[in-house]
Amino acid sequence: MTAGATATGARLLEGAPIAAEIRAGVAADVAAYAAANGRPPGLAVVLCGRDAPSMVYLERILKTCEAVGIATRLVDVPGEDAATQEQELGTAIRRLNDDPAIAGIIVQMPLPAGVPLRAVVDAIDPVKDIDGLHPLNAGLLRLGYEGFVPATAHAAMEMLSRSGVQIEGADAVVIGRSPVVGMPVAFMLTKANATVTVCHSKTRNLAAKTRNADIVVVAAGRPGLVTGDMLKPGAVVIDVGINLVDGHLVGDVDFPSARDVAGAITPVPGGIGPLTNALLLAHLVRAAQSQATSAG
Ligand code: NAP
């Protein structure tokens, strides 16, 4: 078996080598920023309840920040009930918006039950919204203009482009239409001149759609949703799903059957996840640089 290939020949699209390249660029940019501005760029992570799965993700981000020289601040928001939590989250985010040492803000997801997502993302200053959740950034993406895009969606696109996958003219199916993954990926693929079909839980005959696709991006949060018999031979499969099954992380794609048919496939773990983490920090550096430019 050659490096980068699965046992049956599908090319394995691994995130780690691309993430390492991105992190090296981020570390150099952080050093240059710190030299020019007298302090490193700062990332604020707003927590509201220490929900276990997302704490693992956040801890990994904090560790990467430390490795590349980004300053981090954890803001733990108190609150006994949803109304108090919503109010405290708003207050904490507004304080961070006004803090020049903080270039980017991310908020732990999922939010506590009863706290509306809109109330939280609307509070983030769009220039510090490095995960592209604010309606302004979502609108910029929709219109094809420059803004912050969700890091996971960016990771899916980066994986395709850095792996040399032909996007222009390709038939692409995106499974999932969330504002964080599915829809941003669909907009970015469209901008890159793919012909895109967006599928969701009410889609009839999902397999008929995926069997026609050159590129399949799966972001449904349903383990085993896409199997090999649903794929066109040689298709490129990007599995964004992260699911815990019997104590193991798995994606939304049934890897053993899919790799027999696909031309290239991302593993879970080790595919989109590491790339998401590195790109989020690249977004932070971009935010810091543009804030320094507009302040100076
Ligand atoms: P979400 O908000 O729950 O959205 C899931 C989407 O999948 C919805 O649009 C839903 O359709 C659709 N869907 C659900 N079941 C389906 C089915 N049987 N057939 C077709 N479509 C179906 O989830 P999300 O936040 O987008 O995340 C999706 C997955 O990506 C999750 O596993 C999440 O953990 C993972 N994720 C990974 C990263 C990373 O860095 N790798 C980052 C973020 C999220 P409806 O709209 O009709 O409900």
Side-chain angles (χ1 to χ4, degrees), residues 237-259:
V237 181
I238 304 291
D239 190 353
V240 181
I242 300 178
N243 310 287
L244 202 56
V245 175
D246 300 332
H248 296 283
L249 277 188
V250 297
D252 288 347
V253 176
D254 176 51
F255 189 84
S257 65
R259 73 176 166 202

Side-chain angles (χ1 to χ4, degrees), residues 10 18 27 75 92 108 113 116 141 143 158 161 165 172-173 181 262 264 266 291:
I18 306 174
V75 180
Q108 180 188 27
L141 171 64
L143 295 169
E158 201 71 12
S161 58
V165 173
V173 162
V181 195
T266 57
Q291 286 160 44

Side-chain angles (χ1 to χ4, degrees), residues 262-277:
I265 186 167
T266 57
V268 177
I272 294 302
L275 213 44
T276 299
N277 180 322

Side-chain angles (χ1 to χ4, degrees), residues 41-119:
L43 170 70
V45 179
V46 181
L47 305 177
C48 195
R50 296 195 174 237
D51 170 72
S54 64
M55 275 314 291
V56 174
Y57 170 69
L58 294 172
E59 272 157 15
R60 218 168 283 153
I61 291 173
L62 295 171
K63 229 169 121 192
T64 317
C65 283
E66 198 182 316
V68 297
I70 291 170
T72 55
R73 191 182 306 167
L74 268 182
V75 180
D76 227 328
V77 170
E80 294 297 304
D81 54 78
T84 320
Q85 285 168 326
E86 181 181 338
Q87 197 182 3
E88 294 284 348
L89 277 164
T91 305
I93 291 168
R94 279 186 289 277
R95 205 169 287 148
L96 294 166
N97 287 343
D98 293 337
D99 186 338
I102 297 298
I105 302 167
I106 57 172
V107 181
Q108 180 188 27
M109 299 286 168
L111 293 171
V115 177
L117 181 68
R118 178 105 203 249

Side-chain angles (χ1 to χ4, degrees), residues 152 175-178 181 200-201 219-222 225 240-243 272-273 276:
T152 307
I175 306 178
R177 57 175 166 181
S178 78
V181 195
H200 46 77
S201 68
R222 298 282 181 276
L225 178 63
V240 181
I242 300 178
N243 310 287
I272 294 302
T276 299

Side-chain angles (χ1 to χ4, degrees), residues 211 231-235 261-263:
R211 272 189 210 117
L231 297 170
K232 175 169 155 178
V261 185

